[in-house]
Each structure stands twice: as structure tokens, then as C-alpha cells.
Amino acid sequence: MPPLDHASVCTLDCPDTCSLTVTVDAGRIVKVRGSEALPYTAGVVCNKVAHHTDSFVHGPGRLLHPLIRTGARGSGEFRRASWAEALDAAHAGISRAIAQHGPESVLPLNYAGPHGMLSYDSMSLRFFHRLGASHLFRRSMCGGVRSEAWAGTYGAAPGIGPEAAGEAKLNLVWGNNATVTNLHLVRQVAQARRKGGRLAVVDPLRTKIAEQADLHIQLRPGTDVVLGFALANALRTMGAHDAGFIARHVLGYEEFMAAAAPWTPARAAAECGVAEGEILTLASWMAEAEPLVMAPGNGLERGRNGGAGIRAAIALPALLGKLDARNGLVLGAGFAFPKTMAKLQRPDLAPPGTRTINIIDAGRLMLADDLDPPIRAAVIYNHNPLVVHPDQNTMRRALMREEIFTLGIEVQMTESMAFCDVILPAATSFEVDDLYAAYGQHWLQRAAPVIPPQGESLPNTAIFRRLAARFGFDDPCFADDDAALMDQAIDGADPRLKGLAPSAIPTDRALRMETPEGKALALFDTVMPATPSGKVELVSEVLAQRWGAQARVPAYRPVADTAARFPLALISPASDKRISSTLLGFGGGAGEAPPLLMHPADAAARGLAEGAWVKAWNALGEVILTLHVTEAVPPGVVANEKGAWVATAPNGQTISALVSATDRADLSEGCCYNDVRVEVAAA
């Protein structure tokens, strides 16, 4: 039989959610490329997916059978087991914890592996809710700060689609390493520039898209709110604020501007480490641009001022009155879809009053016994906590605890899986049915298997059905098949579905979320803010109620006094070689650690040369890396790509070891991955 092409969708943690064409030969994936099913991604796919899918699906690290640990915890020594034996062992370990300490002693430890609505969390949460396990607040790891800032300002409404960037006279890409993490936005920006549009980038790192920009404001990490305030002031001085739009559609204008007032362009320039002229130039460009499109990324949320920085940035189009069918903010795309998450995940199955644990606290709480009841069983799925979590050394010690039964569900033998007592093999996205509601664009997609599950692996939904059956859960919801789950995930009666059941969406074309008249969703054109006031809320009572009175108005918190001891700010951008710790084209083995980037002035002050081995350290850990001396980072800032596995590190620590698990952003208790202080010296 000749090779056959199949339609699929990329499931990885990326806003683009590309449509794919997958070529299968004799049951093996031999080629992956972009398809035309999704007009936005238009047949283009990143090199990571094109080049590394084969090893991810068929490579030597693929888990194909259930395993039971035989060696010391962390040794990676396992024996093959049958599904029945592995399920019995999982049942025994979890049941022991429940018998001794109650169901809240069980912790589901999952994050953002596959982004299909079924694989991400559907039958899994039904199981944990029915079990009575502790809830896990996952959004603090990434995305929660941005989501809260957006919802507090504009409500649960979608921003403009990223296609608008293709027609913008000014694209403002803020804290968004788009060439690596938002490829198709870059294509739209390039299209706009060919038509005479400008590109401005705000980022501490000279990313690839910053290299192409007409203006790159290379500010100090964590000062985005200061820059946003300064731009608001400059625009007011220029007379560019749209008084009519503000009067009709903005709440809290005067109070917001009072908070911004101290940050003149001159004072902000000094705090941000940039030239005042750059701030004034950007303000002038924003005032004259029609249309204006801003695309903030996750970078600016990952610090103490993350929420305030995003709120100050996304306030600017509202101050200018530039929100309509052509002007706007590429954010809030998840609100474009009529999701029905309660039907999908069934929180009603959970006992009332069940506690919630912040995922950032998981390592400390697993290690310490100051929680009542203590954590005595953990289920790791869709997640690689040893590599991804802050305070890596605490997480490692937590995973070493024999007192905590640990069940792993995974596609690959990650370093985190080596600490598990039982491992169940999961199917990849190419082997399952799933539904994809993107977080960076407005198109809904469905995918079907292109190959059968490899070995004895199973879809996440099937694994949790088996776990539910082994625990004796006979609630009807555990018998729902994947088609039923799709139809429970999205409201098929909503006009955006055009009469299609979610499970019947064709796999060879994406379905755009739009009005019944076929118009794109865009704030102040086809949708309005979904805030309590129905206006853009620059001052938010909702955020104050959720995160404390200090969250009512955006505010700047200067860097902590650890700067004296640890004078360098460490940021951790995404890699063009992997997606977080997944699809390892590079970064999974010895000698593959990405280098530490340092400005020439900082290297000279420390007597360090290009290519030298250096140690970056703080009170939490020490990381050994090679040095790359470059002006891609400003003075006082160093950078190292996230997602490299521990195996790359000579001393077994990656940059996650240097990130605090107790420092929090101003919203969503977010993790401060880009708000880390270190010192660097010769190793």
C-alpha cells in the first residue's frame, strides 16, 4: 500500500494550533507538514513539528507498555507489566493514601502537555472529582496572569483575530518571542510590512522578530508597567486620547491616569533602561497608526509586575479609541469558543469544600508534612515537573519521597517519569480523537487518529476510564465515549457551530468562530466587553476581589533588595528547538544545554570570555553553562532558554533550579520565571 496522507492538528502548547497533513507509511508517520485546512496557518508549520515528530512518536524514548518500578526511586529501573497488574498497583497505592489520610491526600499533578480539549483534562478531571482528590490550580504556572489581566479589563470576550496583523500600519509585539512561539503572527506582520506598515517590539531580549523591527525597545525585565504608563502619559500630552470613546466605553480613566502620572517618559526611560526618545517615538507611531494591532505575549506576565504590565499595555488601544474591526489586541482568543467546561469536566462530582492547591506550591507541599492531610499520592500526566517547575531542587527531593505513591501517565520516558512507582503509556495526539479550541486564534478544529495507538498505549480518556472502572466508579459519565465528550465540551447549539455537532466537524477544514452574518469576532465591532460595567475597566473591582485590594489599579513594584547580592536579572525565553520540554530536537542529552547569554560589559566586569564555562547561582541553586557574550541582552540581564532536560546539566540543575516558588506575580499567584536574580562567575 502506498503512503497515505491524513488530516491532523498540532496539539502542542502554542497559540497557532496549526492544521497538519501527516503522511503514514506502513503504520509509521514519515512526514508532517502544514495543511490548508486552517486558513490562518495556511500550509506552514514550524521546524520543530516538521522535523521531530517521528522521534517523538516512534523514537526510543516512547513508552509502549505499562511499567512498575523495580529499582531505587529516580533510577529509571522498571519492569514491564500488564495493564491489569499496573491498574491494580495504581489502585493499591492511591487507595492506601486515601485509607490513611483521606481522598484529599491525592494530588493530580498535570499541566500543558497536549492541548486537545479531551486529552488536556476531560475524563481525567471527572475521575479526580469523583475520587475527592485535591483540586489543582494550574493557571499560575503560565497564562493565568495574562488571562486575569485580560478578563479584568475586557471581560470574557475575545480580542481581534491575529489575521488583523496582516493589514496593520503598526504592529506592536510586546513580550512575545513570536518567531519561536507565534510563527503565523510573524507571517502576518511580514505581510503588513510589505505594504508599508511598521513593526515595533518591546522585549528585554533581541529576539529574531526584534532584529527585524523598525523600533526595538529593549527594556529591563519587569518594567513593562512603567513603559505602559509612560506611553499613556505621552499620548495624553500629544492630545491622542479619544475623549469620546473614553466617555462612552472606558471605566476608571482618571484613576488609571493618576496612577500613571508620576511616570513621565523621562523618568520611565531611566527606570526601564531605554532612551526617552524611543518611548516618544513609539507613542507617536501609535497615535498616527490606522490600523494599530498589539500582540502581547506570555513573556511580560512572568514577574512580580506581570498583571500590571499587561493591563497598562492593553489599556493603550482603549485610550486611543482604536478598537474595532481592524484595530485591536490579539488576546483573549479562548473566549471566542462556546465552551461548556462544566459538562466536560463535571466539577459537580467533587465533594463540597474540597481544597485547592496551587501547582507552584506542589514541590514544597509534597516535601513537607505541614499540610493536613499531607499529600501521599500524586498522579503526573501531561506534565514534566522536574524540568518545568520552579525551585527544581525542592521538586526533586519531593519526587524522591517513598511515602508518596506516584503514578505517571506519559508518552515519553521523561526524567520525571523515573520517579514514578507505576507508569501507564499514553497515546500521542496522532493516535486519538480530539477537539482543538486554540488560545491564539479563532478557529475550531477536530482531529481523528492517523495511526493506531502504538504498543499498548491508550488515549488519556481511555486510561482514566480504566482507572475509574478499577476504582468501581459506575457513574454514567464514565461511560461517555470520545464523541460524547466532544459534544459536551462545546455548545453545539451555539450559532458559531453553524448547526454542526462538535464531534461532526470535518477533519479537513477548520470552523471559524464568527457572527451568524459571517463577520469576524472583534471588540467594539461584533462583540463588546464582558465586564460587569460593559466597559473597558482600567480600574477593576473584580480583580481586587479575587487578588486583593492592591490589584484594583495597576501598580509598579521595584526589584527586590536581593539585587545587591544577585545583581543580574535572569530571563528564560522559549527555544526554537523544542516546545517547552517537548519535541527535543536539542536539549535532552548531555552537552546540549543552551548557553547563557550575557552583555559584553557584564562579561568584562567579571573577567569572562566567550565560550567559557560559567556558573549562574542564587540562594536556590547553581547552574553550569557555557557563556555566549552578546548584545542580544541589555546590561544587567542574562538569558537562558527554558525547557532543557536535567541530563544536559553537568551538575544536574537547569535554570528552573534558580526560580523561586514563593515569589508571585501581582495576579493569579503567577510564577515569576522572568523575575529571577542571579550572579555569574567562572565555573
Side-chain angles (χ1 to χ4, degrees):
M1 179 181 294
L4 295 176
D5 288 343
H6 302 269
S8 191
V9 178
C10 183
T11 192
L12 298 172
D13 188 359
C14 168
D16 291 2
T17 316
C18 300
S19 62
L20 304 175
T21 297
V22 181
T23 303
V24 176
D25 188 6
R28 186 183 180 99
I29 294 174
V30 295
K31 188 175 183 180
V32 178
R33 58 197 184 278
S35 82
E36 301 290 339
L38 174 58
Y40 172 59
T41 59
V44 176
V45 68
C46 72
N47 288 332
K48 291 171 278 194
V49 171
H51 294 160
H52 305 308
T53 294
D54 176 76
S55 61
F56 180 68
V57 176
H58 303 293
R62 179 71 194 270
L63 290 165
L64 298 174
H65 310 284
L67 302 172
I68 292 178
R69 179 166 64 91
T70 57
R73 211 176 255 272
S75 67
E77 296 175 9
F78 294 87
R79 65 171 175 84
R80 181 173 170 177
S82 68
W83 266 98
E85 183 185 11
L87 288 169
D88 284 346
H91 177 265
I94 294 173
S95 296
R96 183 167 58 251
I98 293 174
Q100 294 175 354
H101 301 283
E104 287 184 319
S105 67
V106 181
L107 179 69
L109 189 53
N110 69 303
Y111 187 55
H115 270 243
M117 295 187 73
L118 273 60
S119 298
Y120 187 87
D121 247 339
S122 58
M123 193 61 70
S124 48
L125 277 189
R126 292 184 182 191
F127 170 76
F128 289 115
H129 288 150
R130 176 65 176 80
L131 189 71
S134 290
H135 299 314
L136 186 70
F137 178 59
R138 302 164 178 83
R139 299 289 285 161
S140 56
M141 187 79 80
C142 177
V145 176
R146 185 177 66 169
S147 295
E148 288 293 303
W150 174 261
T153 307
Y154 290 97
I160 203 164
E163 296 91 340
E167 302 298 325
K169 289 300 181 184
L170 175 63
N171 274 296
L172 176 50
V173 176
W174 196 323
N176 185 347
N177 191 1
T179 314
V180 171
T181 63
N182 211 173
L183 174 63
H184 297 88
L185 176 71
V186 176
R187 297 175 66 236
Q188 295 293 329
V189 169
Q191 175 181 307
R193 297 190 76 206
R194 287 193 293 270
K195 298 175 183 177
R198 288 173 169 146
L199 167 64
V201 172
V202 177
D203 203 302
L205 182 67
R206 192 177 67 211
T207 58
K208 289 183 179 178
I209 193 168
E211 291 174 353
Q212 301 162 12
D214 301 289
L215 175 65
H216 175 205
I217 297 184
Q218 198 171 16
L219 77 178
R220 293 189 181 110
T223 60
D224 304 87
V225 59
V226 171
L227 177 60
F229 280 160
L231 289 167
N233 284 320
L235 291 166
R236 190 179 204 178
T237 301
M238 294 173 185
H241 287 196
D242 187 329
F245 184 91
I246 290 167
R248 293 189 303 274
H249 299 301
V250 175
L251 179 72
Y253 170 75
E254 292 297 345
E255 194 171 349
F256 176 87
M257 290 307 299
W263 292 104
T264 63
R267 185 182 175 207
E271 187 70 14
C272 297
V274 301
E276 180 184 2
E278 293 178 340
I279 298 176
L280 296 174
T281 295
L282 180 55
S284 175
W285 289 3
M286 294 178 73
E288 66 186 50
E290 178 63 39
L292 164 68
V293 173
M294 182 190 295
N298 280 348
L300 71 163
E301 79 162 8
R302 295 172 178 165
R304 74 197 62 201
N305 301 311
I310 295 169
R311 292 169 72 189
I314 65 178
L316 299 172
L319 298 180
L320 292 166
K322 294 188 177 183
L323 292 166
D324 53 38
R326 301 171 69 231
N327 294 269
L329 293 147
V330 182
L331 268 184
F335 296 120
F337 306 92
K339 300 175 184 176
T340 47
M341 302 307 289
K343 289 183 179 179
L344 178 65
Q345 298 175 345
R346 295 296 303 275
D348 57 295
L349 295 171
T354 299
R355 72 184 179 191
T356 298
I357 289 174
N358 188 330
I359 191 171
I360 303 302
D361 293 325
R364 177 180 60 82
L365 294 176
M366 289 169 67
L367 184 61
D369 282 332
D370 56 357
L371 196 64
D372 185 19
I375 297 171
R376 285 295 180 266
V379 182
I380 301 173
Y381 64 105
N382 297 349
H383 193 26
N384 189 2
L386 184 64
V387 171
V388 174
H389 271 247
D391 196 355
Q392 183 178 75
N393 291 319
T394 292
M395 176 55 74
R396 179 186 287 105
R397 291 193 295 270
L399 292 173
M400 284 293 294
R401 292 197 68 186
E402 291 285 355
E403 299 93 331
I404 300 177
F405 173 80
T406 307
L407 170 64
I409 300 170
E410 196 32 291
V411 170
Q412 289 268 337
M413 178 56 84
T414 68
E415 291 169 313
S416 297
M417 288 297 101
F419 294 89
C420 294
D421 297 290
V422 177
I423 300 175
L424 303 178
T428 71
S429 62
F430 299 105
E431 302 156 26
V432 305
D433 292 288
D434 220 326
L435 198 61
Y436 296 89
Y439 68 84
Q441 38 91 348
H442 297 177
W443 298 78
L444 182 64
Q445 301 176 84
R446 184 176 73 85
V450 302
I451 56 173
Q454 301 296 283
E456 294 183 274
S457 67
L458 291 173
N460 281 2
T461 50
I463 291 173
F464 281 98
R465 285 190 198 96
R466 290 194 179 192
L467 282 168
R470 183 61 188 83
F471 277 79
F473 300 160
D474 57 3
D475 312 60
C477 68
F478 292 108
D480 289 338
D481 62 16
D482 289 351
L485 291 176
M486 290 185 195
D487 293 336
Q488 291 158 6
I490 296 285
D491 180 6
D494 189 281
R496 283 168 282 186
L497 270 290
K498 299 179 175 63
L500 286 171
S503 60
I505 294 172
T507 59
D508 60 354
R509 67 178 176 89
L511 182 65
R512 188 171 81 153
M513 300 293 99
E514 58 190 18
T515 70
E517 298 76 30
K519 293 189 67 176
L521 303 180
L523 276 167
F524 293 98
D525 181 50
T526 52
V527 296
M528 295 296 288
T531 56
S533 67
K535 298 182 177 183
V536 180
E537 296 192 353
L538 303 186
V539 173
S540 175
E541 300 297 342
V542 170
L543 293 179
Q545 291 167 11
R546 286 175 62 81
W547 307 110
Q550 73 283 352
R552 185 170 174 274
V553 185
Y556 176 60
R557 292 186 290 171
V559 69
D561 26 19
T562 56
R565 184 180 174 197
F566 301 110
L568 297 172
L570 170 67
I571 59 175
S572 48
S575 171
D576 62 355
K577 301 174 181 64
R578 56 193 169 277
I579 296 176
S580 294
S581 62
T582 308
L583 283 185
L584 290 169
F586 193 84
E592 294 182 355
L596 183 74
L597 310 186
M598 177 181 279
H599 190 272
D602 292 323
R606 292 163 175 78
L608 302 173
E610 172 72 21
W613 283 97
V614 297
K615 61 178 180 181
W617 85 93
N618 60 21
L620 296 173
E622 178 178 294
V623 180
I624 307 297
L625 300 162
T626 57
L627 184 68
H628 177 42
V629 180
T630 172
E631 293 185 353
V633 288
V637 178
V638 292
N640 185 248
E641 291 175 351
K642 67 176 183 176
W645 282 22
V646 173
T648 67
N651 68 338
Q653 298 180 54
T654 66
I655 55 168
S656 292
L658 307 178
V659 181
S660 170
T662 55
D663 291 343
R664 299 295 163 86
D666 48 359
L667 295 179
S668 196
E669 298 185 0
C671 188
C672 295
Y673 285 103
N674 283 341
D675 200 350
V676 178
R677 308 299 305 189
V678 300
E679 181 53 288
V680 176

